[in-house]
């Protein structure tokens, strides 16, 4: 229960921070670069991969302008930037590749919904990336991609990501990434993110199974708090994934020549995966609703059991109270009161009545 309450408090704090960041942007001119998020790294890390089918060169935190100037003709470049708090650096990168200021503004807006935009000479795509589960919480960040004629730029909040395997394959020359154009790398990056959505929904599946078992065994306040926490996570994930479907649909329909004909079917495959993830989230939301109904029914049944026991106890004491009430009246002439064995007889009668009522309740299966 403490973990669930801690998650709710963190979520409230995150919502408060987002509200404060949004207030900074109110009234600002369009294209104004304002970082709307929490600083997650002290220093920006910039990885650069310059490659073709035959060779690859890797650089870390080198001057991008110098690398672009010395790049050989026919080589593609992937620039991965970790850390978005330095507006001057982001603006410098934008000027090097002639990126629109509105695009850079979206890059630095970490609360932006996933979307696709076609700028003609380049394509912009932003999406929520889920890195896995840490301390029973989804670890996520905002990631943006820019696809150009011979380059791909990725903007991330922090260095830890899910592209390790992709980097290894690119470096070792495995697969088709080095022989294909930058649009194929662009596809692989988005595909990796969408594939990791399955790990997120698997996390929810495990949580819901555990929660259902807990509710069946003991429907208490802790289960209700867990349900509320899972519900908020499901809503957030659905809100993050649902626009991805729309963005991918726009990407598929785009006639931009940066997306080659042989690469386009791969984006259709990602679109199908996104639909499947959304459908899974819908089924889990229905499952959570069923568990909530189960919890309410269990609580209601428990209350009914308590009321049944109290009612049976009250019913047993009704005749006993009647007898005690009659002989508790202070009339002067009551023959039974002067009888020597009146007291033990009264006890015997009340005990027999109690046993008969208990027997009757058991015959009726009320006990």
């Amino acid at each position: 229960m403490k973990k669930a309450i801690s998650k709710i408090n963190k979520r409230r704090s995150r919502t408060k921070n987002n509200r404060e960041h949004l207030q900074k942007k109110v009234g600002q001119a369009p294209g104004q670069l304002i970082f709307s998020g929490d600083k997650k790294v002290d220093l920006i890390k910039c990885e650069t991969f310059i490659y073709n089918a035959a060779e690859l060169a890797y650089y870390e935190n080198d001057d991008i302008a110098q690398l672009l100037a010395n790049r050989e003709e026919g080589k593609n470049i992937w620039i991965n930037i970790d850390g978005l708090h330095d507006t001057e650096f982001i603006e410098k990168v934008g000027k090097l590749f002639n990126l629109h200021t509105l695009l850079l503004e979206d890059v630095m807006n970490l609360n932006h919904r996933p979307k696709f935009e076609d700028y003609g000479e380049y394509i912009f795509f932003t999406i929520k990336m889920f890195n896995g589960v840490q301390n029973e919480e989804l670890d996520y960040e905002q990631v943006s991609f820019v696809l150009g004629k011979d380059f791909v730029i990725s903007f991330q909040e922090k260095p830890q990501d899910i592209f390790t395997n992709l980097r290894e394959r690119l470096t070792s020359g495995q697969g088709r990434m080095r022989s294909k154009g930058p649009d194929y790398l662009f596809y692989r990056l988005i595909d990796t993110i969408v594939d990791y959505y399955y790990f997120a929904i698997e996390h929810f599946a495990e949580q819901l199974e555990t929660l259902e078992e807990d509710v069946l065994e003991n429907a208490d306040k802790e289960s209700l708090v867990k349900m509320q926490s899972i519900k908020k996570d499901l809503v957030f994930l659905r809100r993050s994934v649902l626009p991805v479907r729309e963005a991918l649909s726009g990407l598929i329909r785009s006639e931009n020549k940066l997306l080659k004909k042989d690469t386009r079917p791969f984006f259709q495959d990602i679109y199908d995966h996104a639909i499947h993830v959304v459908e899974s989230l819908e089924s889990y939301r229905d499952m959570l609703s069923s568990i909530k109904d189960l919890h309410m029914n269990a609580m209601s049944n428990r209350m009914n059991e308590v009321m049944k026991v109290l009612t049976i106890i009250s019913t047993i004491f009704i005749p006993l109270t009647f007898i005690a009430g009659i002989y508790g009246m202070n009339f002067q002439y009551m023959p039974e009161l002067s009888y020597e064995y009146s007291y033990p007889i009264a006890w015997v009668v009340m005990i027999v009545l109690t046993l008969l009522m208990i027997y009757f309740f058991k015959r009726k299966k009320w006990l």
Side-chain angles (χ1 to χ4, degrees):
M1 184 172 179
K2 290 181 179 180
K3 289 183 179 179
I5 293 175
S6 175
K7 285 176 68 176
I8 293 173
N9 291 334
K10 286 181 180 179
R11 195 179 292 112
R12 287 175 180 171
S13 176
R14 194 158 50 231
T15 302
K16 182 181 178 181
N17 292 338
N18 292 340
R19 193 182 303 117
E20 292 175 354
H21 294 314
L22 288 173
Q23 288 174 352
K24 296 178 183 178
K25 300 187 67 177
V26 175
Q28 298 290 337
Q32 190 74 21
L33 299 189
I34 299 175
F35 178 61
S36 61
D38 297 325
K39 183 179 177 181
K40 296 187 178 180
V41 291
D42 295 325
L43 297 174
I44 286 182
K45 179 183 177 183
C46 181
E47 296 178 293
T48 305
F49 299 82
I50 300 177
Y51 65 93
N52 58 19
E55 57 183 346
L56 177 142
Y58 172 77
Y59 304 91
E60 186 173 321
N61 295 328
D62 286 49
D63 183 51
I64 300 176
Q66 188 66 34
L67 293 175
L68 288 174
N70 297 333
R71 182 176 51 154
E72 297 178 11
E73 186 70 25
K75 286 191 175 182
N76 300 316
I77 184 169
W78 172 29
I79 299 173
N80 182 63
I81 299 170
D82 298 323
L84 304 175
H85 58 276
D86 191 340
T87 56
E88 292 183 3
F89 181 80
I90 300 299
E91 188 174 13
K92 178 183 176 182
V93 174
K95 288 180 179 179
L96 284 173
F97 291 92
N98 195 29
L99 303 180
H100 200 285
T101 52
L102 290 176
L103 183 152
L104 298 177
E105 182 184 4
D106 289 341
V107 166
M108 302 193 73
N109 182 6
L110 305 186
N111 300 311
H112 208 297
R113 74 194 299 269
K115 74 170 187 176
F116 150 79
E117 280 190 304
D118 189 343
Y119 285 88
E121 295 182 357
Y122 47 84
I123 289 173
F124 175 69
F125 195 94
T126 184
I127 188 173
K128 279 280 190 298
M129 178 169 71
F130 292 88
N131 298 320
V133 180
Q134 294 184 1
N135 300 323
E136 296 186 5
E137 290 187 41
L138 289 174
D139 180 31
Y140 65 91
E141 61 177 299
Q142 187 82 8
V143 181
S144 300
F145 301 107
V146 180
L147 169 66
K149 180 181 178 181
D150 54 2
F151 67 87
V152 174
I153 308 174
S154 53
F155 299 90
Q156 301 180 211
E157 294 184 53
K158 53 188 178 181
Q160 295 82 11
D161 59 30
I162 58 177
F163 300 135
T164 302
N165 184 52
L166 192 146
R167 288 188 183 91
E168 291 176 355
R169 292 179 66 84
L170 183 65
T171 304
S172 63
Q174 297 179 4
R176 294 177 284 181
M177 277 188 291
R178 295 237 304 245
S179 59
K180 293 281 188 177
D183 59 328
Y184 186 78
L185 174 62
F186 179 68
Y187 146 72
R188 286 300 305 272
L189 291 167
I190 299 174
D191 181 58
T192 302
I193 292 175
V194 174
D195 283 347
Y196 260 76
Y197 287 163
Y198 286 102
F199 289 97
I201 61 176
E202 184 65 27
H203 167 67
F204 283 116
E206 294 175 0
Q207 280 192 317
L208 289 172
E209 287 177 4
T210 304
L211 181 61
E212 188 175 22
E213 293 174 0
D214 293 341
V215 168
L216 288 172
E217 291 178 3
N218 183 24
D220 54 9
K221 185 179 179 181
E222 183 176 355
S223 301
L224 196 60
V225 173
K226 286 181 180 179
M227 261 185 275
Q228 191 65 18
S229 178
I230 294 173
K231 179 183 176 182
K232 289 185 178 296
D233 286 339
L234 274 173
V235 169
F236 173 75
L237 185 58
R238 184 177 181 274
R239 194 169 62 241
S240 300
V241 175
L242 196 58
V244 173
R245 185 174 60 179
E246 301 172 13
L248 287 168
S249 177
L251 186 64
I252 293 169
R253 292 196 307 268
S254 173
E255 297 180 357
N256 196 307
K257 294 182 179 180
L258 293 174
L259 298 174
K260 297 177 182 177
K261 186 177 180 180
D262 58 344
T263 307
R264 288 180 179 274
F266 295 115
F267 289 101
Q268 181 64 49
D269 183 61
I270 304 177
Y271 179 78
D272 294 339
H273 290 174
I275 291 177
H276 183 248
V277 171
V278 172
E279 290 174 348
S280 298
L281 289 174
E282 294 291 346
S283 66
Y284 290 146
R285 190 171 64 169
D286 293 340
M287 184 177 177
L288 181 62
S289 179
S290 300
I291 294 175
K292 189 174 182 179
D293 291 340
L294 180 64
H295 179 273
M296 298 303 295
N297 290 336
M299 294 290 287
S300 179
N301 290 338
R302 183 184 299 174
M303 181 63 68
N304 290 339
E305 287 295 324
V306 172
M307 293 303 297
K308 185 177 77 171
V309 171
L310 293 177
T311 302
I312 289 173
I313 293 173
S314 300
T315 305
I316 290 173
F317 273 90
I318 285 175
L320 307 185
T321 306
F322 175 75
I323 294 172
I326 289 178
Y327 291 104
M329 294 184 294
N330 294 321
F331 292 120
Q332 184 176 2
Y333 299 104
M334 293 185 72
E336 294 90 349
L337 295 179
S338 59
Y339 186 60
E340 181 180 359
Y341 299 104
S342 296
Y343 178 71
I345 289 173
W347 266 108
V348 169
V349 170
M350 287 191 287
I351 291 172
V352 170
L353 280 173
T354 301
L355 293 175
L356 286 174
M357 293 185 73
I358 291 174
Y359 173 75
F360 176 75
F361 291 146
K362 284 187 174 293
R363 283 287 303 271
K364 291 290 185 179
K365 297 183 179 179
W366 295 346
L367 278 177

